[in-house]
């Protein structure tokens, strides 16, 4: 992990203090410093913490598409497209993080609030189209082997928690659509707890902390594990993630991580924070 010292990843800077590695996170005018302590896993697992996008299902391409559509609208340029180098910064983190990155690079004078409003309008339209069988109807593809994996985990009486930084209006259609594709019924029959990024903070509506406390902060996974799944021993818990933000969130929470290849973990240089890297969910059954 020493190779991370001095490295910056998005709004996270890694530092060393008294021989310990810390991730220093700055957003919304607040600085937070989280210890990345060594973690251990001793099977058999009693609980599994799973990410949604990229781990349970594949939808990152869709949300990158929405970011790109947002930038086209803001720039007034229907031909605008993101560069390959942008991808690690517009996936895996929060919507505001993604948009801030794009604005800083392409529209430094644009107001973030206007960009967020534009993004949500486009996202809501696209989701409604999908739910009505139009547009990107194949946007939410279940991960290979998801049904068999969840079924086997349930047979072993292992608790399963699902955590996503996505807001309710985005996350719920995703998981419901994926389960519908697999004829698995209600997701709540499989997951013992589900934590989302909450609700939007619109005028006249009740909002939640949402993106202020989402990944890579530890709080979504902390709440999922200790309040949702009633975890008492973190060494019997394993997290599954495909994104850099998710890996950091789990490690900041004090849980070991199995990284799924195909996301941006390797590209972000965070393989060293994973206890194992795998290609498919079925490989994790041998670990737990």
């Amino acid at each position: 992990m020493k190779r991370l010292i001095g490295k910056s990843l998005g709004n996270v800077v890694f530092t060393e203090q008294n021989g310990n590695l810390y991730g220093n996170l700055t957003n919304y005018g607040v600085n937070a410093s989280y210890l990345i302590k060594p973690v251990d896993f001793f099977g058999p697992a009693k609980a599994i913490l799973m990410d949604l996008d990229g781990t349970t299902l594949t939808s990152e391409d869709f949300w990158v598409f929405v970011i790109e559509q947002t930038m086209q609208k803001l720039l007034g340029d229907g031909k605008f497209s993101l560069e390959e180098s942008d991808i690690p910064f517009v996936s895996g983190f929060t919507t505001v993080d993604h948009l801030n990155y794009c604005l800083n690079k392409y529209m430094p004078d644009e107001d973030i609030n206007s960009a967020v409003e534009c993004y949500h309008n486009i996202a809501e339209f696209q989701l409604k189209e999908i739910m009505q069988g139009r547009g990107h109807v194949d946007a939410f593809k279940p991960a290979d082997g998801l049904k068999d994996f969840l079924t086997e985990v349930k047979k072993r009486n292992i608790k399963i928690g699902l955590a996503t930084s996505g807001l309710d209006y985005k996350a719920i259609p995703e998981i419901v659509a994926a389960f519908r594709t697999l004829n698995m019924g209600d997701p709540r029959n499989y997951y013992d707890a589900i934590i989302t990024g909450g609700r939007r903070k619109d005028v006249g509506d009740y909002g939640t902390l949402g993106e202020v406390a989402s990944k890579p902060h530890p709080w979504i996974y902390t709440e999922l594990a200790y309040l949702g799944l009633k975890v008492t021993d973190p060494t019997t818990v394993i997290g599954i993630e495909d994104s850099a933000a998710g890996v950091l969130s789990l490690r900041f929470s004090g849980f070991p991580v199995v990284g799924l290849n195909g996301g941006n973990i390797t590209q972000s240089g965070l393989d060293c924070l994973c206890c194992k890297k795998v290609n498919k969910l079925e490989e994790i059954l041998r670990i737990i």
Side-chain angles (χ1 to χ4, degrees):
M1 294 195 295
K2 288 187 176 181
R3 72 187 73 172
L4 294 177
I5 297 172
K7 176 182 174 67
S8 295
L9 179 63
N11 55 358
V12 179
V13 177
F14 299 95
T15 61
E16 182 181 24
Q17 301 176 39
N18 299 320
N20 297 313
L21 180 65
Y22 287 82
N24 302 286
L25 178 59
T26 301
N27 61 352
Y28 310 106
V30 176
N31 299 321
S33 183
Y34 299 113
L35 172 65
I36 306 177
K37 62 182 179 181
V39 292
D40 295 304
F41 169 69
F42 299 105
K46 292 185 178 179
I48 294 175
L49 310 177
M50 293 186 69
D51 170 48
L52 179 60
D53 293 329
T55 301
T56 300
L57 53 84
T58 301
S59 68
E60 285 289 5
D61 288 346
F62 172 76
W63 295 114
V64 170
F65 161 76
V66 173
I67 290 286
E68 198 165 65
Q69 289 275 299
T70 301
M71 293 305 298
Q72 288 180 2
K73 182 74 172 179
L74 293 173
L75 289 164
D77 180 4
K79 296 183 179 180
F80 169 83
S81 62
L82 293 165
E83 299 175 358
E84 185 65 29
S85 60
D86 295 331
I87 302 305
F89 303 98
V90 295
S91 59
F93 292 88
T94 71
T95 298
V96 173
D97 288 330
H98 300 161
L99 291 174
N100 266 324
Y101 168 82
C102 290
L103 294 184
N104 288 335
K105 180 173 181 178
Y106 297 107
M107 297 184 70
D109 296 326
E110 181 65 31
D111 175 57
I112 183 61
N113 293 318
S114 298
V116 169
E117 184 65 23
C118 181
Y119 170 92
H120 285 305
N121 288 338
I122 291 172
E124 288 179 347
F125 171 79
Q126 293 291 343
L127 286 172
K128 288 178 181 177
E129 288 289 287
I130 289 171
M131 292 298 102
Q132 294 176 15
R134 300 191 296 266
H136 293 255
V137 292
D138 59 347
F140 309 132
K141 300 176 181 177
D144 290 341
L146 176 66
K147 186 174 183 177
D148 291 340
F149 176 77
L150 291 178
T151 301
E152 177 61 27
V153 170
K154 293 296 286 185
K155 285 182 180 177
R156 298 186 190 184
N157 294 316
I158 301 172
K159 292 182 178 179
I160 313 173
L162 182 67
T164 175
S165 293
L167 297 176
D168 283 357
Y169 88 88
K170 296 163 52 175
I172 294 172
E174 285 190 38
I175 188 60
V176 168
F179 268 56
R180 184 184 300 151
T181 298
L182 296 173
N183 295 316
M184 293 177 67
D186 191 330
R188 291 171 293 185
N189 293 331
Y190 278 82
Y191 297 106
D192 297 281
I194 300 174
I195 302 293
T196 73
R199 296 181 298 277
R200 292 179 61 186
K201 296 159 280 293
D202 292 330
V203 175
D205 291 333
Y206 292 102
T208 60
L209 280 171
E211 297 188 284
V212 175
S214 60
K215 305 174 189 178
H217 288 287
W219 307 118
I220 284 180
Y221 275 122
T222 300
E223 181 175 349
L224 178 67
Y226 291 110
L227 297 181
L229 302 182
K230 307 298 188 295
V231 165
T232 57
D233 182 359
T235 65
T236 63
V237 180
I238 200 79
I240 308 173
E241 269 284 359
D242 77 304
S243 74
V247 168
L248 289 173
S249 181
L250 280 164
R251 290 302 305 270
F252 290 159
S253 302
F255 296 111
V257 187
V258 173
L260 270 177
N261 291 319
N264 68 345
I265 297 174
T266 298
Q267 195 172 4
S268 301
L270 297 188
D271 281 358
C272 60
L273 294 184
C274 299
C275 64
K276 190 79 173 178
K277 292 291 294 301
V278 300
N279 293 314
K280 296 182 179 181
L281 289 173
E282 64 183 36
E283 297 175 50
I284 300 174
L285 293 173
R286 295 193 291 270
I287 300 172
I288 61 176

